[in-house]
Each structure stands twice: as C-alpha cells, then as structure tokens.
Amino acid sequence: NLRNADAVTVTHERLAERVRPFNSNVWIIPNAIPFGVDQYDEEKIPSDKLRLFWAGGISHVNDIELLRNPIKRISSLPVMTVIGGYNNSNETSKRLWDGMVSAFTYGLKIPGMVLTSLPVNEYMNHFSHADVMLLPLEKTGWHGMKSNLKLIEAAAKRIPVIVSKVDPYIDFNPPVFHVERQKDWFEYVNLFVNNPGMVELWGNKLYDWAQQFSMEKVYKKRTECYSSLLK
C-alpha cells in the first residue's frame, strides 16, 4: 500500500523515516483538534480534591501497570482518581479493565470515579473531571510510532500532564512533567497537591504550546498535500 500510494501522511519524523524506504513522497502532518469547538471546549467540573486522570483502552494494560506501585504511595495524599473508558462488554474486556482500575486506584482504596466509554464525538467529556493527567507509557518501538494526541487533548481542557519520558511525548518539547524514575510520579503529584496554583499555571502553558496543533493551522498543511496531488 505504501509503494502504491501517490503520497503518505504521517504525524512525525520518526514514522516518516520508516516510510521513506517504501515511498519518498512523505508529508509530516501532525494530529490536530478544533480547540474550543463542541466537546473540545474548556469546560471543567470543579472538585474539592485534586483529581488524577487517565483515559484510554485495554491496549494500555502494561502502561497502567507502571503506576501500580507509585499509586500506593500517592494514596497517602489528599487526591481522587478518575479513569475513563471503562468497558465490560465481554469477559476479557471486563477482566483487563478491572485490573487496570485496581492499579490506578490502589484496589479502589483511593476515592474517585470510573467512567464508562463514550462515543467518539463525546469522549472529551471525561476530561472535564480532570485536574492533572497521568500518562504512563512503556518505551517500545510501537508506542514510539504513535502521535502526541493525548497531550493535545489535555491541552484543550488546560490540564497539566505528568508523563513518561518516552516517544511520542518528547516531540515538540512540550511543557509537561517528564517521568524518568518511578518515584517521579509521587514527587510530581505531591508537588501539585502542595502548590494548587500549579494546576492553572501548567495547564495554561500546555494550552499555549498546543496551539500549533489547532485544526485551523494544521489543515493548511493537509490542503497543501492534497493540492499537490491534484496537480
């Protein structure tokens, strides 16, 4: 398929390098969202406690396991956990999801919310229950080929992010808290707990950084790509 295509679009240079041996006409066009439109608005539901947020699917079972031990320490702090995307539609999904919820909530010992999966045009509503987003990710070749979309989604709601220091969450030098050692998860969460003003400060920094991924800007590059094919 790559060889037969007139052009190939990818979201970053690492993936472009993998494609070029098959097709030299590669365009790097980042993922983008329409900031402020529909579900991508800045609506936040207030909370008395700092809410630690994660959302995704069962393909991230191993990633969530990275948080199991740090969450034990974090359970001593005055926080809540919010996990989005829960799906028990079959036995396998329920078993995997229950394990992920257990890892993220210290066996439900931390108060919080488990939000069921939403349609693609509503999923961002989960982010309205977040104060700080945790993004654990294993360092693998597969993950490294993904895009930084999760950071852009968090930015839409001005949610600061604590994230594993691995690709694709290093691209474009984002203003996030990069985790290099397991104890960093606790230390960064503790920092937010003791400095509440950091939530707004770093949420705004991420929002400003992410404007380069606004739909209005990125579509121009996509239009340029398609126009070149039509010529």
Side-chain angles (χ1 to χ4, degrees), residues 17-88:
E17 290 177 358
R18 299 293 295 271
V19 170
R20 287 191 184 104
F22 303 94
N23 192 318
S24 60
N25 192 20
V26 182
W27 292 71
I28 298 175
I29 304 176
N31 270 332
I33 62 174
F35 289 94
V37 178
D38 296 330
Q39 64 173 330
Y40 299 102
D41 60 22
E42 298 181 30
E43 179 187 9
K44 293 285 290 292
I45 298 171
S47 171
D48 294 334
K49 285 187 177 181
L50 184 78
R51 293 165 297 185
L52 306 178
F53 176 76
W54 181 90
I58 55 175
S59 64
H60 290 283
V61 167
N62 291 338
D63 302 316
I64 285 290
E65 281 298 319
L66 296 175
L67 291 178
R68 186 176 289 277
N69 288 328
I71 283 292
K72 291 180 182 179
R73 290 191 66 194
I74 290 170
S75 67
S76 65
L77 301 175
V79 299
M80 294 175 58
T81 57
V82 179
I83 185 167
Y86 186 86
N87 187 326
N88 61 356

Side-chain angles (χ1 to χ4, degrees), residues 2 88 94 97 121 214:
L2 292 175
N88 61 356
K94 184 180 186 306
W97 260 110
N121 62 326
S214 68

Side-chain angles (χ1 to χ4, degrees), residues 171-224:
D171 292 338
F172 303 98
N173 194 29
V176 297
F177 291 80
H178 276 131
V179 170
E180 299 185 66
R181 305 162 299 174
Q182 279 293 81
K183 67 178 184 179
D184 290 345
W185 294 106
F186 173 83
E187 291 182 358
Y188 287 145
V189 170
N190 192 42
L191 193 62
F192 276 103
V193 168
N194 291 302
N195 300 275
M198 286 181 56
V199 173
E200 181 178 359
L201 175 65
W202 286 89
N204 288 339
K205 287 185 178 183
L206 190 62
Y207 179 87
D208 292 341
W209 167 85
Q211 294 313 297
Q212 61 187 302
F213 305 106
S214 68
M215 196 72 76
E216 292 80 1
K217 293 181 179 178
V218 174
Y219 90 88
K220 295 177 181 177
K221 186 72 172 180
R222 193 174 299 279
T223 300
E224 182 185 352

